[in-house]
Amino acid sequence: MPELPEVETTRKGLATAFVGKKITGLIVRREGLRYPFPQDFDSIIGCEVVSIRRRAKYLLIDLDNNRVLLSHLGMSGRYSLINPQDVASFADEKVESGTYTSGKYSDVESSKYGQRTGFSGKHDHFELQFDDGSVAVYTDPRRFGIVKLFNSEEEEIQPLLEILGPEPFEDWNAKLLADKFSNKKTNVKVAILDQRVVVGVGNIYACEALFSSKINPTTRSCDLVNKNGQPSKKLIHFVDEIKSVLERAIAAGGSTLNDFAAVDGTLGYFPHQFNVYGREGQPCKAENCDRLIERIQQGGRSTFLCPKCQS
Ligand SMILES: [Zn+2]
């Protein structure tokens, strides 16, 4: 599942490619993803992309008509960028822009860029076409992605957005987390995944940050707060590690971005090096530790931990 670093990498890639460009066409191949596509989806045609922001795992594409196009990648969504030269190489089978009409999806059966996007086109659900001839293809095999369109002044009252807690990189610290945790008996692993506590800390990075700060994932959240309401040393370390692991992943995504885009045009996925995530039964990477990584279930999700380092 795309987590915050993948979404941030996608945001940077899309912003680099499309800010300042005009959307000249939209092709839609189904009625929706997790929810139906906006009835007025085609109203984005003719708009210029002013900026592309991220809030939690939502991409917010600001258009020059004061509308905001929200895109969430769900479980398996991704954007691929097809540059004008490659679009031209598909010219003999290129579909015309503007085949979308409000409330109906195109009868174009599959993407002409299918080989390019890696899913043979059948999971390429919509395409944005730009005035320089480039195309962004949205691919999502599991179709849990979300697309919404709203006026910019309505952003704060969007139900998807208004429930979100603080961003990990913006004025978030251990004291704020201690305030949330002081009366919470839920274990720290489940609690940190709650988007009302802090946004964007998904399962992978929660496991990694707990390992780095030597916290057992079954610890009650309130036990990481001192009696006077101040964060414990472990909690301070945990917050530092959350920021650090996310920053490193964003940096890794950024550094592989060019290579990746050159290979298959795909944004947002890159190889990871994890200490515990996905390493059940493999040796702990900590120095002087002879234990194997274990996997437990918490809140319906897998947690990976070292039973010695995180005891
Ligand atoms: Zn260990």
Side-chain angles (χ1 to χ4, degrees):
M1 184 190 322
E3 295 209 27
L4 185 146
E6 289 84 357
V7 178
E8 179 61 19
T9 303
T10 302
R11 184 197 70 76
K12 286 179 182 169
L14 291 175
T16 302
F18 299 124
V19 166
K21 290 179 186 159
K22 187 183 275 191
I23 299 168
T24 53
L26 171 69
I27 297 206
V28 181
R29 297 203 175 77
R30 53 182 308 110
E31 289 164 331
L33 301 168
R34 190 185 315 187
Y35 309 116
F37 285 127
Q39 279 292 313
D40 57 346
F41 201 176
D42 57 350
S43 68
I44 68 172
I45 296 172
C47 292
E48 184 182 306
V49 177
V50 176
S51 61
I52 304 182
R53 294 172 291 131
R54 179 190 57 74
R55 175 76 173 105
K57 297 202 291 184
Y58 296 97
L59 295 165
L60 300 169
I61 302 169
D62 296 309
L63 304 173
D64 68 350
N65 63 349
N66 206 32
R67 301 278 277 171
V68 180
L69 181 65
L70 174 152
S71 171
H72 189 283
L73 303 175
M75 304 286 285
S76 59
R78 63 183 200 178
Y79 283 93
S80 302
L81 309 183
I82 316 294
N83 66 42
Q85 295 81 0
D86 290 326
V87 171
S89 74
F90 289 100
D92 55 336
E93 45 187 5
K94 184 181 170 190
V95 292
E96 293 301 313
S97 62
T99 52
Y100 178 84
T101 52
S102 196
K104 293 180 182 170
Y105 54 98
S106 162
D107 59 1
V108 178
E109 286 187 358
S110 65
S111 170
K112 301 306 178 190
Y113 314 111
Q115 294 300 318
R116 187 84 182 160
T117 56
F119 288 98
S120 301
K122 68 178 179 177
H123 300 299
D124 298 340
H125 303 308
F126 65 85
E127 295 174 13
L128 301 171
Q129 301 168 337
F130 293 86
D131 56 357
D132 67 341
S134 60
V135 173
V137 179
Y138 180 79
T139 305
D140 189 352
R142 298 185 65 179
R143 302 201 303 266
F144 278 102
I146 299 171
V147 175
K148 297 267 182 196
L149 196 55
F150 51 82
N151 291 328
S152 61
E153 59 267 25
E154 295 169 352
E155 185 169 317
E156 286 184 5
I157 56 165
Q158 290 300 307
L160 294 169
L161 302 178
E162 66 177 355
I163 58 164
L164 296 173
E167 289 283 329
F169 299 120
E170 293 174 15
D171 299 327
W172 184 66
N173 55 44
K175 179 65 177 83
L176 290 175
L177 187 56
D179 292 344
K180 295 274 190 186
F181 274 9
S182 58
N183 292 315
K184 205 180 272 290
K185 294 189 171 60
T186 320
N187 69 66
V188 58
K189 165 69 189 320
V190 167
I192 203 65
L193 296 182
D194 184 342
Q195 300 294 294
R196 293 167 296 186
V197 170
V198 61
V199 300
V201 183
N203 199 37
I204 294 171
Y205 299 105
C207 292
E208 292 295 308
L210 285 165
F211 173 79
S212 301
S213 50
K214 299 184 170 62
I215 295 172
N216 189 291
T218 62
T219 307
R220 293 192 309 174
S221 304
C222 55
D223 291 342
L224 294 166
V225 182
N226 293 335
K227 290 239 162 39
N228 62 5
Q230 293 299 313
S232 65
K233 279 187 177 170
K234 275 198 168 182
L235 194 64
I236 293 170
H237 192 186
F238 183 44
V239 167
D240 287 343
E241 289 299 329
I242 287 172
K243 295 184 183 197
S244 170
V245 73
L246 291 173
E247 278 171 357
R248 285 201 305 272
I250 289 169
S255 65
T256 57
L257 188 60
N258 289 337
D259 289 346
F260 247 68
V263 172
D264 67 354
T266 302
L267 292 177
Y269 289 83
F270 43 87
H272 293 283
Q273 292 292 326
F274 297 128
N275 285 313
V276 288
Y277 187 82
R279 298 193 63 244
E280 182 185 11
Q282 296 178 46
C284 177
K285 291 182 179 179
E287 278 183 40
N288 303 321
C289 181
D290 54 0
R291 300 293 292 272
L292 303 178
I293 301 303
E294 294 181 355
R295 179 164 67 114
I296 60 173
Q297 287 291 313
Q298 291 182 294
R301 311 285 296 277
S302 287
T303 300
F304 297 88
L305 71 152
C306 172
K308 184 176 172 187
C309 296
Q310 293 170 265
S311 59

